[in-house]
Amino acid sequence: MYLDKYNLGGRVAVVTGGGQGIGLCCAQALGEAGAKVVVAELHPERVESAREALRKQGIAAEGAVLDVTDSTAVEALAERVARDQGHIDILVNNAGVAVSDVRAEDTSDAHWRMHMSVNLDGLFYCCRSFGRRMLERGSGAVVNIGSMSGFIVNKPQPQSFYNASKAAVHHLTRSLAAEWGGRGVRVNAVAPTYIETPLTRFGMQNAAMYKTWLEMTPMNRVGQPEEIASVVLFLASDAASLMTGAIVQADGGYTCW
Ligand code: NDP
């Protein structure tokens, strides 16, 4: 009875930024649970390699080149997936950028805009376009990838633009959950600690910075992308049927101190 709740057979999932890192693991986790997965990613070569890797694992995977900051393209993809697949059940808003270690006073307009545009605007466009189709059917689950940076201020690298964008993702998650909760669509978020992906390479290769990251974390380690994907799988599944508006911290205890 309980394990059945994780069965995503017959469901269609879209994962943005799913070509590598956390997104690719989310696609694998949802696919292993039986969902058909659409990897929507900026880089065509990553769309292709992700689709191939997933298919080799026996997962029904499709790919789509998508820039989440292009609201017209997001709407077109939602329309296409709904038409081709018949329905959209799960959306994982994972696409995000972090070019950190830039002080607030040195942050250019372009740098600020890039983070807001991908991390917040793009996530909203996807919620709006895919969410509208879920609301029409009266069911669906959205999982947003937030960050512990939406709760705390990272140390030692300054990254006010990123922290602000992720705090906004958390509150957008709660706002949509409240709006859509009575109409069958759940909206939750995961707030990870540092996860070993290309996005955090800059810090893990800097011995002093990496040491601080570990010292700040009760579990004294960074996370692996699969450790976020398993939380995403839970939130996307019926095992989390009573959960909406939750920001689940998967952070090795970072936010305890
Ligand atoms: P990666 O950079 O490894 O993967 C993200 C993928 O999304 C990349 O292929 C990236 O391309 C792509 N992408 C970037 N912009 C867009 C766009 N406009 N449209 C579609 N795809 C895009 O990141 P992670 O796997 O590490 O992170 C995934 C999510 O998790 C992000 O939202 C991140 O903020 C969040 N997160 C990550 C943490 C970590 O420590 N890694 C910690 C907390 C949260 P490109 O390489 O060109 O940017």
Side-chain angles (χ1 to χ4, degrees), residues 32-72:
E32 274 187 23
K36 185 167 205 177
V37 184
V38 180
V39 171
E41 151 77 49
L42 192 58
H43 304 278
E45 70 284 0
R46 291 186 202 162
V47 170
E48 214 34 59
S49 60
R51 189 172 60 167
E52 235 172 74
L54 292 167
R55 284 187 173 173
K56 271 193 192 135
Q57 295 164 44
I59 291 166
E62 299 294 336
V65 176
L66 177 71
D67 178 350
V68 296
T69 67
D70 179 347
S71 63
T72 307

Side-chain angles (χ1 to χ4, degrees), residues 93 119-120 123 144-147 164-174 189 247:
N93 276 310
N119 297 357
L120 182 59
L123 181 139
N144 296 326
I145 308 299
S147 173
S165 74
K166 290 296 183 176
V169 165
H170 295 173
H171 210 52
L172 177 61
T173 300
R174 286 186 284 258
I247 317 297

Side-chain angles (χ1 to χ4, degrees), residues 16-23 40-43 46 66-69 93-98 118-119 145-148 162 166 192-200:
T16 70
Q20 67 176 30
I22 294 171
E41 151 77 49
L42 192 58
H43 304 278
R46 291 186 202 162
L66 177 71
D67 178 350
V68 296
T69 67
N93 276 310
N94 164 81
V97 288
V118 179
N119 297 357
I145 308 299
S147 173
M148 67 174 180
Y162 181 80
K166 290 296 183 176
T193 181
Y194 298 108
I195 305 297
E196 191 172 354
T197 70
L199 189 135
T200 45

Side-chain angles (χ1 to χ4, degrees), residues 4-219:
D4 280 352
K5 291 172 188 265
Y6 289 89
N7 185 348
L8 301 180
R11 302 203 193 166
V12 175
V14 175
V15 182
T16 70
Q20 67 176 30
I22 294 171
L24 181 54
C25 288
C26 290
Q28 184 184 344
L30 299 169
E32 274 187 23
K36 185 167 205 177
V37 184
V38 180
V39 171
E41 151 77 49
L42 192 58
H43 304 278
E45 70 284 0
R46 291 186 202 162
V47 170
E48 214 34 59
S49 60
R51 189 172 60 167
E52 235 172 74
L54 292 167
R55 284 187 173 173
K56 271 193 192 135
Q57 295 164 44
I59 291 166
E62 299 294 336
V65 176
L66 177 71
D67 178 350
V68 296
T69 67
D70 179 347
S71 63
T72 307
V74 169
E75 177 63 18
L77 180 65
E79 183 57 32
R80 197 180 95 202
V81 176
R83 188 191 59 226
D84 294 352
Q85 309 297 337
H87 46 95
I88 300 154
D89 306 287
I90 295 162
L91 168 66
V92 181
N93 276 310
N94 164 81
V97 288
V99 182
S100 301
D101 219 3
V102 179
R103 296 181 303 181
E105 65 272 32
D106 301 327
T107 299
S108 68
D109 291 2
H111 199 76
W112 174 267
R113 223 16 358 261
M114 176 186 73
H115 288 84
M116 289 298 163
S117 164
V118 179
N119 297 357
L120 182 59
D121 301 356
L123 181 139
F124 174 71
Y125 298 152
C126 291
C127 286
R128 183 176 61 187
S129 289
F130 290 96
R132 191 186 300 122
R133 287 160 178 89
M134 293 176 180
L135 290 165
E136 282 163 12
R137 295 185 77 232
S139 77
V142 177
V143 184
N144 296 326
I145 308 299
S147 173
M148 67 174 180
S149 309
F151 292 111
I152 54 88
V153 174
N154 300 66
K155 200 175 148 187
Q157 74 282 17
Q159 47 175 45
S160 57
F161 37 86
Y162 181 80
N163 301 345
S165 74
K166 290 296 183 176
V169 165
H170 295 173
H171 210 52
L172 177 61
T173 300
R174 286 186 284 258
S175 304
L176 298 179
E179 277 195 43
W180 296 350
R183 292 189 276 160
V185 179
R186 297 186 297 105
V187 188
N188 292 290
V190 183
T193 181
Y194 298 108
I195 305 297
E196 191 172 354
T197 70
L199 189 135
T200 45
R201 206 167 279 147
F202 79 98
M204 295 184 68
Q205 288 174 348
N206 175 330
M209 188 179 290
Y210 189 44
K211 184 167 174 284
T212 305
W213 289 6
L214 298 185
E215 281 170 0
M216 301 280 294
T217 313
M219 287 179 76

Side-chain angles (χ1 to χ4, degrees), residues 220-243:
N220 199 39
R221 68 174 178 88
V222 298
Q224 295 303 314
E226 311 88 66
E227 296 180 283
I228 302 307
S230 51
V231 181
V232 168
L233 169 61
F234 164 65
L235 290 172
S237 77
D238 293 345
S241 55
L242 190 58
M243 292 180 70

